[in-house]
Amino acid sequence: MPSPLPSRASAAGPVPGRYDRFLILGAVCLAGLVLPLSFTAPPVAIPAIAAELGGSPVALNWMTNAFMLAFGSCLMAAGTLADTYGRKRVFSIGIVAYAIVSLLLALAPSLAVLNGLRIAQGVAAALALAGGNAALSQEFHGPARIRAFSLLGTAFGLGLAFGPSLAGWLVQTQGWRSVFLSSLAIALLATVFGVPRMRESRDPDAAGLDWRGSLSSTAMLALLTIGVLEAPERGWSDGWVIAALIGSAALLALFVRVETRAARPMLDLSLLKYPRFVGAQLLPIGTGFCYLALIIVLPVRLIGIHGLSALNAGLMMIALSAPMLVVPFLAAVLSHRIAAGTLCAAALLLAAAGLVWLGVEAAAGSVHGLIAPMLLIGAGSAVPWGLMDGLAISVVPKERAGMAAGVFGASRVSGEGIALAITAAALAGLLQLRLSSAIGVDGATLTQAAQRLATGDAARAQALLPQLDAAALVHSYDAAFAWLMYGLAGLTAAIAGVVFALLGDASAHEPAALAEPARDDRIELADEPAC
């Protein structure tokens, strides 16, 4: 396949020096750290928020769901905005708006106001992430780019992994409002140190925002997110869940129809012909099954089922998260000798082996025996986590970097949400099978008990099933948890095989040759104001 023509970049301002580029990278990585913190940290503050502001369980859960809904559904449109109106401008608007909304969240007088602000925070986060990723791809090239995106992936993973621990400490020592003030502080650092040093860049061929494509894609992703978020609680057969998923499928068909007819679509559907582009979108789904799902279900098992304190459970979870501090950098070094796609596939297989090991230990009722397989899973997950952002950007021509960042962000959020929903539904289903075989009956009470046990509420589950003692409930949970691990291992291994087939020789060092032979792969650079 022919390579794209060399970039004829022009800049009205000076090229940032090494120190300025380092600050730009630091600013985008701070954004990459604070955005997942916004997803994982606030749920820890729910009890404290409920004590002060009140609210039903459903309303309290929407404090998390509102952010995820807005964030996931706006990412693709945000990427198009970055390509059209400038990556620096979109990042600047997003990170400043994120800081302002974080301050307002810390001052929220009611739960209704807080949930509304969480929607605004999700939109701002989408702008910051899509604009920041695209801007980063313009400042770093060759081996430096893969190192930069490895650091960004590490920051994202650390935000997911350590967000609950940070939030727990803040809530306990400073109150729940300090959780949002910490996000404000990090966003201000990113704004002050990064934005003034960025150069503006955009797609020179952009013909304005594809409004029909943007609206249909945002609505499609919103309905998909609603269906995925509500399915574990309502059930997959619930009317609202089915309606949301059907509506999402219909809007997807509309989106494809709109994009195939648009002169300058927000998503170039012809990119789906390229295996590398498709393979890059599968990586966050793989890490969703082998890593992110464990961040959710492991604390439930450790605290709710085996009675560990929150502090001890948090210390054990470090085994899963600690590899994120080191492994992405090692992966960046190895990628100079081994293709990044091959590394990612091999690492996912390593994580799958760790999941099998974790299942064996769980079936035996072990607690501390989980530490070694957690380290193996964390190490295997950290490789694609550190490389997949760079791969997602590198497999498209540089002038569509914002589009690539938006598509990959939407794929990541949607894929991870689906992975979490499947994991939650599978655990509840496996628990229902184990409990049914233990007592020999089935029914609504058993279903409710299984759902309670899946969320770590062993006391309520035992109250619903008095014929089972606490030891029998724990044994049933451990057996179901083990089979869940085996299932996640199988899914992770299958994704690893597909990733290797599609992405095996792909490198995150240089852009793939996806452009037409006669296409001018230009990047317009202008030293323009941020906003």
Side-chain angles (χ1 to χ4, degrees):
M1 185 179 298
S3 300
L5 295 176
S7 172
R8 298 204 308 267
S10 61
V15 176
R18 184 174 183 179
Y19 177 73
D20 286 341
R21 290 169 64 208
F22 175 79
L23 290 177
I24 292 170
L25 172 60
V28 177
C29 286
L30 283 174
L33 174 68
V34 75
L35 301 185
L37 276 174
S38 299
F39 172 63
T40 59
V44 178
I46 285 179
I49 293 173
E52 180 177 338
L53 302 181
S56 66
V58 173
L60 289 166
N61 284 335
W62 269 99
M63 187 186 70
T64 300
N65 295 348
F67 176 86
M68 188 172 181
L69 172 63
F71 181 54
S73 59
C74 293
L75 271 169
M76 194 178 297
T80 301
L81 286 171
D83 282 338
T84 304
Y85 298 109
R87 286 76 183 248
K88 175 182 177 180
R89 177 176 286 117
V90 169
F91 174 78
S92 303
I93 292 173
I95 200 67
V96 170
Y98 183 92
I100 294 172
V101 174
S102 296
L103 175 61
L104 295 176
L105 281 165
L107 303 174
S110 68
L111 184 60
V113 172
L114 191 147
N115 284 343
L117 288 171
R118 287 284 282 170
I119 294 176
Q121 191 182 37
V123 175
L127 293 172
L129 182 63
N133 278 13
L136 202 62
S137 70
Q138 310 305 318
E139 300 296 345
F140 293 90
H141 309 280
R145 174 184 288 177
I146 193 170
R147 290 193 295 268
F149 277 101
S150 294
L151 186 60
L152 176 60
T154 300
F156 205 93
L158 292 176
L160 280 175
F162 294 103
S165 300
L166 174 63
W169 178 78
L170 287 172
V171 171
Q172 185 173 348
T173 59
Q174 306 295 328
W176 67 266
R177 297 180 188 273
S178 65
V179 174
F180 298 109
L181 290 176
S182 67
S183 296
L184 167 64
I186 297 174
L188 287 177
L189 287 174
T191 303
V192 171
F193 289 103
V195 171
R197 293 165 177 82
M198 285 183 176
R199 290 182 297 168
E200 187 60 281
S201 64
R202 61 174 62 86
D203 180 358
D205 296 325
L209 184 63
D210 176 13
W211 286 105
R212 293 191 300 169
S214 297
L215 291 175
S216 59
S217 69
T218 300
M220 177 265 293
L221 290 170
L223 286 179
L224 175 63
T225 305
I226 290 173
V228 167
L229 291 174
E230 292 293 314
E233 182 177 347
R234 291 175 174 267
W236 291 97
S237 60
D238 179 79
W240 285 104
V241 173
I242 293 175
L245 296 178
I246 292 177
S248 177
L251 285 168
L252 174 61
L254 176 62
F255 173 70
V256 172
R257 179 185 176 92
V258 168
E259 294 305 281
T260 53
R261 298 185 175 187
R264 186 64 174 172
M266 65 176 296
L267 172 60
D268 187 355
L269 294 176
S270 67
L271 292 176
L272 297 178
K273 300 176 183 177
Y274 298 97
R276 292 182 175 186
F277 183 77
V278 177
Q281 314 310 310
L282 293 177
L283 290 174
I285 300 176
T287 56
F289 281 120
C290 67
Y291 179 73
L292 192 60
L294 296 187
I295 292 179
I296 303 301
V297 300
L298 268 177
V300 170
R301 180 180 188 269
L302 296 173
I303 298 172
I305 306 301
H306 286 276
L308 271 66
S309 67
L311 177 60
N312 288 334
L315 291 174
M316 277 197 64
M317 291 298 293
I318 292 176
L320 187 66
S321 307
M324 286 288 178
L325 296 170
V326 179
V327 173
F329 297 103
L330 297 178
V333 173
L334 285 174
S335 66
H336 295 301
R337 299 178 178 272
I338 305 172
T342 303
L343 278 176
C344 290
L348 286 175
L349 288 176
L350 187 69
L355 286 168
V356 173
W357 187 4
L358 191 72
V360 172
E361 294 291 341
S366 176
V367 174
H368 296 291
L370 305 180
I371 293 176
M374 286 167 65
L375 283 169
L376 184 62
I377 295 167
S381 304
V383 173
W385 203 285
L387 296 175
M388 60 187 176
D389 291 88
L391 279 168
I393 299 295
S394 70
V395 295
V396 301
K398 284 176 62 179
E399 82 276 6
R400 303 310 303 274
M403 179 272 292
V407 172
F408 178 71
S411 298
R412 166 181 265 169
V413 174
S414 300
E416 290 172 350
I418 291 172
L420 291 177
I422 291 174
T423 300
L427 180 57
L430 289 168
L431 281 170
Q432 188 169 348
L433 288 174
R434 294 296 305 182
L435 294 174
S436 177
S437 63
I439 63 177
V441 296
D442 204 343
T445 300
L446 186 67
T447 300
Q448 187 178 359
Q451 291 175 341
R452 291 288 183 180
L453 197 58
T455 59
D457 192 351
R460 188 70 62 86
Q462 188 173 5
L464 291 168
L465 300 174
Q467 60 269 52
L468 290 179
D469 59 18
L473 282 176
V474 171
H475 178 71
S476 295
Y477 185 96
D478 285 341
F481 187 90
W483 280 106
L484 176 66
M485 294 302 102
Y486 302 149
L488 293 179
L491 287 171
T492 303
I495 292 173
V498 177
V499 164
F500 181 75
L502 297 177
L503 202 60
D505 61 345
S507 171
H509 289 265
E510 295 293 345
L514 299 185
E516 296 293 337
R519 185 168 186 164
D520 185 5
D521 188 24
R522 293 172 292 129
I523 303 295
E524 179 181 294
L525 298 172
D527 194 15
E528 297 183 3
C531 303

